């Protein structure tokens, strides 16, 4: 039987009677998920004899028995494992089926393979429904182990590899767990803006959103095509106005109809105004007093891609009590480290009527929930990660899920690090009170000193953001960071400064203009409330869970200096 082309795939369906009740078809599709076959406790052996339609992409394929049939390892992305499919030569051109990357859909019967083989069930094809062919000479992902760095050059195809597909499923599980945790605890999901006029961190490393450049380029092209009028052109137009005016005056004196002449005069005056306005157009970005005139920009002011949704979600916490936002954030930091992206995702809850202690309790409960969720729901993918990347990743999840986090003040943490230095430990970054703890300091605390997650709280005010609540000692703020093995800082949070006079002073002391934060100050002017919150770097959580080393490999489409593919 000939292989059927792609456009016939949608028209072919299996009768419900062809699929036993134990093998449910996928929602919104007429195939059976490979996961529903091979991820059963019996690895699918109990389904022998059932007729199914399965589809996926060929991981490996080979012809056998003098090209009488082919073995295909088919994967549809629903689980790490592959379904072995056996296709006889009588069903079509086997040469089209075996190349890695080929998409194949077949109808067939599940059979028990010969004893001693690795798989517990295989699919004997009875009909090839669809083939999406691949030219093996051009397909960029050959059947060999490829480095994650190499795969970054093929972000549109890399999800077909075992590693990136496993990361995608783990990422999905963590996102689902995030919403489950906060919804279960009565939080409302709030969508905060991607475009903002507030700099949450006060760092200034923000991507600017502007139409001034494109408008300037458009104007430059237009002026080249239609140059602005000269002073002589404008003077000539003024003379016409004068002449038209004289005609109207003469008609008036003669008590004749002046309507048409008045209309002509109006048009002549409008033309002068247009010419005068056009003569003022100059190529380049508009400026006033030597500075860029942002009143001419799209939003009539400077705007940026957000570095955090925290400030905006605070406004909802100050009305709805417990809220969270979960979305993309952006930093224009020219960093090439394995821990930084230009676009990344943040989970940011905010809780009203709550203090720093509540904040730490929430962060700890949330991280434990995420770890347990992966242990309960992503066993196969986590086992893959343990086999290929980090043998200790599953044990690390178990430890974090079941172990109370250590809590130490920043001052105590620095004393611990200073003691380590005295006993011979060498750090690249100097240890003294007032420093922002480096990754090596954080990992020492979690991996060496305590060997478990650590929450460090009450940081020096000079190294933390203006919105963090000033403590009574006037030296520290009610901030906290959750440090975990492998990654270091996973969560940063604080009790927010709810006192109007103090936060106004903190904004000024930080060298920030008050005007963009007037709305934020309103939250303190009108019905202020004690509140707190934190941010979890979602990609860092995936790094922590999987043991993968580079953050560029745990986000579907990484953006970093020099790269923004697709």
């Amino acid at each position: 039987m000939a292989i059927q082309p792609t456009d016939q795939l949608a028209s072919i369906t299996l009768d419900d009677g062809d699929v036993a009740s134990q093998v449910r078809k996928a929602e919104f599709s007429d195939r059976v998920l490979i996961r529903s076959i091979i991820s059963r406790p019996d690895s699918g052996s109990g389904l022998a004899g059932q007729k199914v339609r399965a589809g996926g992409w060929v991981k490996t394929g080979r012809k056998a028995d003098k090209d009488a049939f082919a073995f295909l390892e088919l994967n549809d992305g629903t689980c790490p494992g592959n379904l072995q499919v056996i296709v006889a030569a009588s069903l079509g051109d086997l040469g089209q089926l075996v190349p890695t990357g080929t998409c194949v859909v077949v109808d067939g019967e599940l059979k028990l393979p010969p004893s001693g083989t690795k798989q517990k069930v295989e699919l004997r094809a009875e009909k090839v429904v669809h083939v999406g062919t691949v030219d093996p000479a051009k397909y960029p992902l050959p059947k060999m182990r490829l480095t994650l760095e190499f795969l970054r050059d093929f972000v549109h195809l890399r999800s077909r590899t075992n590693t990136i597909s496993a990361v995608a499923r783990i990422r999905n599980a963590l996102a689902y767990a995030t919403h489950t945790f906060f919804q279960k605890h009565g939080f409302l999901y709030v969508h905060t803006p991607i475009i903002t006029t507030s700099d949450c961190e006060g760092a200034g490393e923000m991507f600017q959103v502007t139409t001034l450049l494109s408008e300037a380029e458009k104007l430059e092209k237009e002026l080249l095509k239609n140059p602005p009028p000269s002073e002589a052109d404008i003077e000539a137009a003024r003379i016409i106005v004068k002449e038209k005016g004289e005609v109207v005056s003469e008609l008036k004196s003669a008590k004749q109809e002046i309507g048409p002449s008045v209309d002509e005069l109006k048009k002549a005056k409008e033309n002068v105004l247009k010419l005068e306005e056009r003569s003022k157009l100059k190529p380049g970005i508009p400026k006033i007093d030597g500075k860029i005139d942002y009143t001419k920009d799209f939003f009539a002011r400077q705007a940026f891609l957000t570095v955090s949704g925290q400030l905006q979600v605070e406004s909802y916490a100050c009305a709805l009590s417990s809220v969270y936002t979960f979305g993309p954030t952006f930093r224009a930091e020219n960093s090439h480290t394995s821990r930084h992206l230009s676009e990344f995702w943040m989970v940011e809850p905010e809780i009203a009527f709550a203090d720093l202690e509540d904040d730490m309790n929430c962060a700890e409960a949330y991280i434990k929930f995420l770890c347990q969720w992966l242990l309960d729901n992503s066993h196969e993918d986590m086992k893959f990660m343990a086999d290929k990347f980090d043998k200790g990743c599953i044990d690390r999840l178990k430890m974090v899920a079941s172990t109370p986090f250590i809590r130490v003040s920043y001052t105590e943490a620095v004393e611990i690090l200073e003691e380590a230095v005295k006993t011979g430990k060498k750090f690249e970054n100097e240890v003294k009170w007032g420093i922002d703890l480096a990754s090596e300091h954080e990992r020492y605390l979690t991996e060496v000193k305590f060997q478990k997650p650590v929450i460090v709280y009450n940081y020096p005010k000079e190294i933390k953001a203006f919105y963090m609540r000033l403590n009574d000692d006037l030296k520290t703020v009610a901030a906290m960071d959750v440090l975990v093995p492998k990654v270091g800082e996973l969560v940063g949070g604080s009790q927010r400064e709810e006192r109007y006079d103090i936060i106004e002073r903190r904004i000024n002391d930080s060298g920030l203009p008050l005007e963009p934060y007037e709305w934020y100050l309103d939250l303190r002017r009108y019905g202020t409330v004690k509140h707190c919150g934190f941010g979890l770097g979602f990609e860092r959580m995936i790094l922590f869970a999987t043991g993968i080393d580079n953050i560029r490999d745990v986000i579907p489409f990484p953006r970093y200096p020099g790269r923004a593919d697709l």
Side-chain angles (χ1 to χ4, degrees):
M1 188 176 292
I3 294 171
Q4 303 192 47
T6 305
D7 58 3
Q8 293 182 25
L9 174 61
S11 65
I12 301 171
T13 57
L14 288 176
D15 293 331
D16 287 342
D18 289 336
V19 181
S21 59
Q22 299 97 312
V23 193
R24 287 174 49 195
K25 281 196 264 186
E27 295 278 357
F28 317 117
S29 175
D30 61 359
R31 81 191 200 285
V32 171
L33 303 180
I34 288 176
R35 179 187 68 215
S36 67
I37 299 172
I38 65 173
S39 294
R40 290 161 47 107
D42 62 3
S43 300
S45 60
L47 300 175
Q50 304 303 316
K51 301 268 189 163
V52 300
R53 170 172 291 174
W57 288 265
V58 174
K59 289 290 186 179
T60 62
R62 63 183 176 87
K63 295 189 230 181
D65 196 16
K66 298 181 180 178
D67 296 352
F69 57 88
F71 288 104
L72 308 177
E73 291 289 324
L74 217 59
N75 186 283
D76 66 357
T78 59
C79 65
N82 305 321
L83 176 65
Q84 180 164 282
V85 179
I86 301 173
V87 186
S90 60
L91 297 180
D93 181 0
L94 299 184
Q96 289 187 353
L97 297 175
V98 295
T100 297
T102 302
C103 182
V104 178
V105 180
V106 298
D107 294 341
E109 184 177 342
L110 294 169
K111 300 267 192 181
L112 294 175
S115 59
T117 57
K118 180 182 176 184
Q119 59 274 3
K120 301 298 182 185
V121 71
E122 61 189 18
L123 181 61
R124 303 284 179 88
E126 297 172 346
K127 181 180 183 181
V128 176
V129 177
H130 162 78
V131 178
T133 59
V134 162
D135 181 349
K138 296 180 179 178
Y139 188 59
L141 304 181
K143 186 178 64 178
M144 58 186 291
R145 184 153 189 182
L146 304 167
T147 66
L148 295 177
E149 187 175 11
F150 172 84
L151 291 175
R152 287 175 216 146
D153 291 331
F154 301 96
V155 292
H156 58 300
L157 293 173
R158 69 176 185 167
S159 54
R160 296 188 183 186
T161 64
N162 294 335
T163 298
I164 301 301
S165 60
V167 168
R169 288 187 293 269
I170 290 170
R171 185 183 178 99
N172 172 74
L174 288 169
Y176 190 87
T178 291
H179 289 295
T180 301
F181 175 83
F182 288 111
Q183 294 294 325
K184 174 183 171 185
H185 289 286
F187 286 69
L188 292 178
Y189 181 32
V190 176
H191 297 132
T192 50
I194 300 293
I195 298 172
T196 178
T197 56
S198 302
D199 181 358
C200 177
E201 300 299 326
E205 294 169 334
M206 305 173 75
F207 288 103
Q208 191 163 345
V209 177
T210 181
T211 57
L212 289 178
L213 295 174
S214 58
E215 290 297 326
E217 187 177 358
K218 192 191 302 180
L219 176 62
E220 189 172 347
K221 288 179 180 176
E222 206 273 329
L223 289 176
L224 283 173
K225 189 176 179 182
N226 300 301
S230 64
E231 189 56 44
D233 295 329
I234 297 171
E235 187 56 37
R238 286 172 182 154
I239 291 171
I240 292 173
V241 168
K242 185 178 179 183
E243 291 172 350
K244 299 286 184 187
E246 290 172 351
V247 169
V248 170
S249 296
E250 289 172 4
L251 289 172
K252 260 186 180 182
S253 298
K255 296 184 179 179
Q256 295 182 17
E257 173 61 37
I258 64 170
S261 298
V262 169
D263 288 341
E264 287 184 18
L265 176 59
K266 283 181 181 177
K267 287 179 183 176
K269 287 181 176 179
E270 287 173 0
N271 185 49
V272 169
L273 290 174
K274 286 179 182 177
L275 290 174
E276 288 176 341
E277 194 64 33
R278 186 167 172 76
S279 71
K280 296 174 186 175
L281 294 177
K282 305 224 179 305
I285 295 172
K287 292 189 176 181
I288 185 168
D289 297 331
K291 296 180 180 178
I292 294 173
D293 183 6
Y294 284 107
T295 63
K296 300 291 192 295
D297 207 349
F298 188 88
F299 295 108
R301 62 190 300 180
Q302 274 189 290
F304 308 91
L305 295 181
T306 184
V307 299
S308 168
Q310 176 210 311
L311 299 188
Q312 288 84 358
V313 89
E314 275 188 60
S315 70
Y316 269 68
C318 293
L320 301 174
S321 295
S322 294
V323 295
Y324 71 106
T325 185
F326 180 11
T329 52
F330 307 85
R331 297 279 171 89
E333 184 178 359
N334 191 18
S335 173
H336 294 266
T337 76
S338 62
R339 292 288 183 272
H340 289 89
L341 287 166
S342 301
E343 176 183 297
F344 54 99
W345 285 63
M346 291 282 286
V347 179
E348 298 177 289
E350 200 73 26
I351 317 168
F353 309 101
D355 59 17
L356 185 64
E357 186 75 18
D358 300 310
D359 205 31
M360 292 190 283
N361 291 342
C362 181
E364 179 170 345
Y366 170 48
I367 293 169
K368 286 176 178 291
F369 186 87
L370 292 182
C371 293
Q372 191 60 51
W373 187 276
L374 289 182
L375 292 170
D376 294 340
N377 298 284
S378 300
H379 177 73
E380 289 179 293
D381 287 313
M382 288 308 306
K383 187 173 181 301
F384 173 85
M385 290 297 161
D387 291 341
K388 302 297 182 185
F389 289 96
D390 184 351
K391 289 182 171 50
C393 64
I394 293 176
D395 288 338
R396 190 166 60 246
L397 289 178
K398 289 178 179 176
M399 181 271 290
V400 172
S402 61
T403 305
F405 292 8
I406 294 290
R407 299 187 185 187
V408 297
S409 70
Y410 170 88
T411 300
E412 291 170 325
V414 169
E415 288 171 353
I416 290 168
L417 294 169
E418 287 175 335
E419 187 60 34
V421 171
K422 287 178 186 174
T423 56
K425 173 65 181 173
K426 291 189 179 355
F427 293 111
E428 290 184 14
N429 298 276
E430 182 186 6
V431 176
K432 64 178 181 179
W433 200 95
I435 63 162
D436 199 357
L437 298 182
S439 180
E440 60 176 337
H441 303 142
E442 296 167 345
R443 294 186 65 174
Y444 176 83
L445 293 170
T446 61
E447 296 172 12
V448 179
K449 175 63 179 177
F450 295 110
Q451 298 181 1
K452 62 181 67 173
V454 178
I455 303 179
V456 179
Y457 61 91
N458 287 348
Y459 281 78
K461 67 178 182 180
E462 285 77 16
I463 60 173
K464 289 297 181 180
F466 69 87
Y467 52 75
M468 298 184 178
R469 194 180 200 278
L470 187 64
N471 287 327
D472 293 342
D473 62 11
L474 304 182
K475 295 195 310 180
T476 62
V477 289
M480 66 91 182
D481 289 341
V482 181
L483 316 178
V484 294
K486 179 72 180 175
V487 169
E489 182 191 338
L490 179 60
V491 161
S494 71
Q495 182 175 339
R496 315 311 190 189
E497 182 56 78
E498 85 281 8
R499 296 165 294 185
Y500 174 83
D501 55 337
I502 294 179
I503 196 166
E504 183 182 43
R505 187 166 69 246
R506 292 274 285 147
I507 292 173
N508 284 323
D509 290 346
S510 299
L512 296 170
L514 279 176
E515 190 273 331
Y517 300 99
E518 283 297 333
W519 67 270
Y520 192 65
L521 292 171
D522 276 351
L523 302 179
R524 279 73 181 170
R525 289 187 182 104
Y526 311 128
T528 190
V529 65
K530 175 176 66 174
H531 62 289
C532 64
F534 63 81
L536 175 136
F538 196 60
E539 283 73 30
R540 288 197 174 192
M541 181 64 208
I542 303 169
L543 287 181
F544 166 75
T546 61
I548 285 177
D549 289 324
N550 199 308
I551 201 166
R552 298 171 183 178
D553 302 317
V554 297
I555 190 169
F557 304 99
R559 273 85 173 95
Y560 48 95
R563 293 297 290 268
D565 299 339
L566 277 63

